[in-house]
Amino acid sequence: MILTAIAAMAKNRTIGVNGDLPWRIPEDFKFFKDKTTGHIMIMGRKTFESLGGPLPNRLHVVITRQNNYEPEGAHVFSTIGDALDFCSEQTDSGAWPEEVFIIGGGEIYKQMLDSTDRILLTEIQREFEGDTKFPEFSSEEFAEIDRSHREKPVPFDFVTYERRD
Ligand SMILES: NC(=O)c1ccc[n+]([C@@H]2O[C@H](COP(=O)([O-])OP(=O)(O)OC[C@H]3O[C@@H](n4cnc5c(N)ncnc54)[C@H](OP(=O)(O)O)[C@@H]3O)[C@@H](O)[C@H]2O)c1
């Protein structure tokens, strides 16, 4: 199993505000859809609720401390370890591809950073006000291996980081 975090982050590391994204960038939505379709996605309960329901053609693994949380279309776990064990079973059996996406939010990116192999980070070159941040990580831990610039609707880069061996 390869764990890839996928996120869009402002210059001040903001990723969310009031349970939503602070921006609308259609090309980034498309990027997210193209990367995650056909894969398992791991997320915190708040991010799952921000989706407004399960997205097509993806397996939703949701982490919550609530006991009776049983939304339609999601596999729910009370610890990150249990969620990862379930994902390993799914990928080892060949039911789902090896690359599993961590799709947020801030709490989950942070707690899973040490297990993250790769980060697909959309770096928006502007500051946004918000209440949720992407965790700091160092260039000693992760190497930038690809960067592709876009100008509209705001300047941003699609950046790929890989964990150093
Ligand atoms: N820009 C981006 O790429 C991006 C991506 C994803 C999300 N977001 C934004 O980020 C915000 C949501 O992020 P967030 O940090 O507030 O919430 P989150 O990480 O999505 O979910 C937090 C919830 O996950 C559960 N949880 C967290 N750690 C756990 C653990 N160790 N064990 C069991 N359950 C655990 C808890 O659920 P319970 O409270 O149910 O116990 C907790 O309240 C929204 O604004 C969203 O739009 C942005």
Side-chain angles (χ1 to χ4, degrees), residues 6-10 14-23 28 32 43-51 62-66 69 77-80 102-109 111 121 124 131-134:
I6 184 166
M9 175 186 88
T14 291
I15 61 165
V17 65
N18 300 327
D20 203 352
L21 301 182
W23 47 73
D28 188 53
F32 177 85
M43 69 207 82
R45 189 265 308 164
K46 292 181 185 172
T47 292
F48 178 69
E49 292 186 352
S50 80
L51 299 179
V62 177
I63 302 166
T64 177
R65 295 186 181 90
Q66 298 171 46
Y69 190 71
F77 296 91
S78 58
T79 68
I80 290 172
I102 301 163
I103 69 155
E107 290 186 30
I108 296 301
Y109 291 132
Q111 293 174 74
L121 198 55
I124 299 161
D131 49 35
T132 316
K133 305 263 179 189
F134 195 83

